[in-house]
Amino acid sequence: MSKRMFKNNEDEGYGPETNGVEDTLIGSSIKIEGDLVSNGSINVEGEVVGSLKTEKRLRVGEKAKVVADVKAQEAFISGTIQGNITVGGRLELSSTARVTGDIQSATLSIAAGAIFNGKSTMQEISSIKVEKKQEEVDEE
Amino acid sequence: MYYYVYDTFLSDKKYEKVLDKIKVALLDLDIQGKHERLTLLKSIDELIKDEVKRGINTLIVLGNDKTLLRVIDTVGRHNITLGMIPIGPDNKIAECLGIPPEEAACEIIAARKIIQLDLGKANDQYFFSSLKVEKNINRVSIHKDNYRIVPQPNCVEFDIYNFYYPAVAENYEKEMKKFSPQDEKLELVIRKQGKRQGWFKKKDVLKPIDSIIQSKVFKIKSFEYLPVVLDGYKVIKTPVIVELAPCKLKMIVGKDRLKHIQ
């Protein structure tokens, strides 16, 4: 009886690592201002201004706009980025990507149609580490 | 010692037989205690506080999701064990926790399998399920770590979840699967305006999820006092610091609870 409500979804399984939901999903209805640091993957479909750093995968959607320096272990860019990009592993720019800034990555793939203005350096980078600031509750 | 609290709607005659059966089951299982029927004049918080002073260590609520959510704040403050005997409709939380309805729940109480679940805290109020803001979203900003989240014009609602359960089974959203009341995280879910579906609006249609951000602390700020609804019944006003409570909820659960609740 107790699993009736969730029966249809059981196959996909529960638990933190068993589905494809990103740790951070930034949609088109919000704008992030400041330094976004995450130890999980980030999926951007909206706007980010500041800096963006993840130890895992970053995906920037077609309609996303990022005005920030970006660091990630892997990145798949389909939207607009204004800022420098540092990727530990593979960086992929799809045909809709528009990048203005310098790129540093171990592997680079640029699809026909992508716009890239900047300098590219191919370099093996040891894995990207993020130092998250201690989350504190301070009464303001 | 057990303290049984009956929700007001159980005074209805149609529940008499069920309540009798439950009393017999409790007697058979030898888990008796003090029984209290709530009325509009009795404050549930005051009653629990008084009984905690008298030494009860387990509170059993008889009722539905709303009954359970209403006692969370007081239970969080007094570190007592919480159990439930679900009666009537709207018992999705019990379903998630593997607690069968009516007298069958008495065996779960007797077996006393206790797990610890996260609790959320909004300013000085504890909550178990979620916190919602759906008015004047454009005047709100949410702060996390070193950045702030600014809702755009197409943002219509946001919730911060500790424990997710769909009020209507059909509304179960797969994006929410990851949310566990034991992951020591709160999940901020931002919804945007859905597409119009013709003239006849379906009841309980959810607005599509736009963004999901996890954290232990969120700060909600606004230019003016705005209402924030905790667990669907308590209203507090901004600014609100939402965080994971330092204490845990000790809950009696059944075997058939959801896989991600251990």
Side-chain angles (χ1 to χ4, degrees):
Chain A
M1 160 264 153
S2 68
K3 289 182 183 168
R4 196 175 46 207
M5 176 166 46
F6 302 98
K7 206 169 181 181
N8 296 335
N9 301 288
E10 257 186 3
D11 294 344
E12 293 172 45
Y14 281 102
E17 301 302 331
T18 52
N19 61 55
V21 178
E22 284 85 358
D23 287 341
T24 306
L25 168 63
I26 298 160
S28 59
S29 74
I30 57 168
K31 179 181 177 183
I32 301 282
E33 294 176 352
D35 305 325
L36 170 53
V37 179
S38 171
N39 51 13
S41 28
I42 300 176
N43 189 348
V44 184
E45 298 288 346
E47 202 175 337
V48 178
V49 179
S51 72
L52 198 55
K53 205 169 174 184
T54 170
E55 280 176 11
K56 293 195 177 157
R57 199 168 55 140
L58 168 71
R59 204 181 76 79
V60 177
E62 206 175 318
K63 289 177 183 167
K65 191 181 174 192
V66 177
V67 183
D69 285 341
V70 171
K71 278 187 181 175
Q73 190 53 40
E74 265 182 70
F76 301 90
I77 315 295
S78 302
T80 305
I81 296 188
Q82 286 174 30
N84 299 330
I85 305 172
T86 308
V87 174
R90 181 180 173 87
L91 168 63
E92 210 173 303
L93 305 186
S94 80
S95 59
T96 53
R98 289 164 174 261
V99 176
T100 310
D102 296 343
I103 285 174
Q104 192 177 344
S105 65
T107 312
L108 176 63
S109 155
I110 303 180
I115 298 171
F116 166 46
N117 289 309
K119 189 175 76 184
S120 170
T121 314
M122 305 291 290
Q123 192 181 345
E124 198 79 46
I125 303 163
S126 57
S127 59
I128 302 287
K129 291 272 176 222
V130 298
E131 279 175 28
K132 260 189 125 181
K133 253 203 157 184
Q134 192 69 33
E135 285 165 290
E136 285 172 0
V137 181
D138 53 337
E139 294 283 352
E140 283 168 36
Chain B
M1 190 186 156
Y2 288 84
Y3 182 44
Y4 297 90
V5 175
Y6 296 60
D7 201 336
T8 46
F9 74 88
L10 296 175
S11 331
D12 195 301
K13 268 198 171 180
K14 68 178 177 184
Y15 293 110
E16 259 177 26
K17 274 187 186 171
V18 177
L19 294 179
D20 286 343
K21 279 184 192 169
I22 289 169
K23 279 179 187 163
V24 171
L26 294 176
L27 198 68
D28 289 346
L29 294 162
D30 200 20
I31 44 170
Q32 297 161 71
K34 187 175 175 183
H35 292 247
E36 187 98 51
R37 279 175 184 270
L38 291 174
T39 65
L40 292 174
L41 300 171
K42 287 180 188 171
S43 149
I44 194 165
D45 297 338
E46 292 301 322
L47 287 172
I48 297 168
K49 271 181 209 166
D50 290 345
E51 291 306 319
V52 169
K53 279 181 198 160
R54 290 191 188 116
I56 64 134
N57 56 19
T58 306
L59 169 71
I60 309 292
V61 289
L62 289 87
N64 54 25
D65 292 339
K66 281 184 188 164
T67 327
L68 183 85
L69 294 173
R70 286 185 78 93
V71 300
I72 291 297
D73 185 43
T74 319
V75 168
R77 287 171 202 279
H78 293 98
N79 192 32
I80 50 176
T81 304
L82 180 62
M84 186 182 191
I85 299 178
I87 302 173
D90 304 325
N91 268 304
K92 296 292 184 285
I93 298 178
E95 204 175 318
C96 296
L97 298 175
I99 306 169
E102 301 173 357
E103 67 267 27
C106 298
E107 288 184 20
I108 302 292
I109 306 290
R112 220 178 147 81
K113 162 80 183 162
I114 298 172
I115 59 165
Q116 295 207 332
L117 300 173
D118 295 338
L119 273 180
K121 200 175 173 196
N123 292 345
D124 60 343
Q125 303 283 326
Y126 291 97
F127 68 94
F128 179 55
S129 175
S130 66
L131 169 156
K132 186 190 278 291
V133 180
E134 55 183 347
K135 280 181 185 164
N136 297 329
I137 300 285
N138 54 348
R139 298 185 185 183
V140 175
S141 67
I142 308 150
H143 297 244
K144 175 191 179 302
D145 300 338
N146 290 340
Y147 65 89
R148 69 184 189 129
I149 301 150
V150 185
Q152 300 297 290
N154 58 339
C155 173
V156 287
E157 177 186 312
F158 75 82
D159 305 80
I160 296 176
Y161 288 98
N162 172 52
F163 175 78
Y164 168 72
Y165 70 96
V168 182
E170 295 76 49
N171 281 349
Y172 183 75
E173 294 164 291
K174 66 176 173 33
E175 293 92 335
M176 309 285 221
K177 273 185 154 185
K178 204 170 178 178
F179 301 179
S180 160
Q182 291 173 313
D183 61 1
E184 302 204 329
K185 280 179 204 158
L186 297 168
E187 282 86 16
L188 167 69
V189 174
I190 294 166
R191 295 178 186 276
K192 62 182 176 184
Q193 191 66 56
K195 283 176 190 164
R196 276 182 175 258
Q197 299 194 331
W199 292 99
F200 301 102
K201 233 185 170 181
K202 265 190 186 174
K203 254 191 178 179
D204 294 323
V205 171
L206 285 174
K207 288 144 192 137
I209 293 175
D210 181 70
S211 308
I212 299 175
I213 297 171
Q214 296 179 313
S215 181
K216 285 185 179 177
V217 184
F218 293 102
K219 293 170 197 167
I220 305 170
K221 295 178 182 176
S222 61
F223 296 119
E224 61 201 76
Y225 294 128
L226 290 177
V228 176
V229 185
L230 300 184
D231 276 344
Y233 79 98
K234 190 174 273 183
V235 180
I236 58 172
K237 285 188 173 173
T238 53
V240 181
I241 295 177
V242 191
E243 59 185 318
L244 210 62
C247 58
K248 300 272 180 188
L249 173 68
K250 290 186 286 179
M251 184 86 205
I252 299 174
V253 293
K255 262 189 208 166
D256 292 336
R257 60 190 180 276
L258 293 179
K259 257 194 258 173
H260 67 301
I261 301 175
Q262 287 156 5

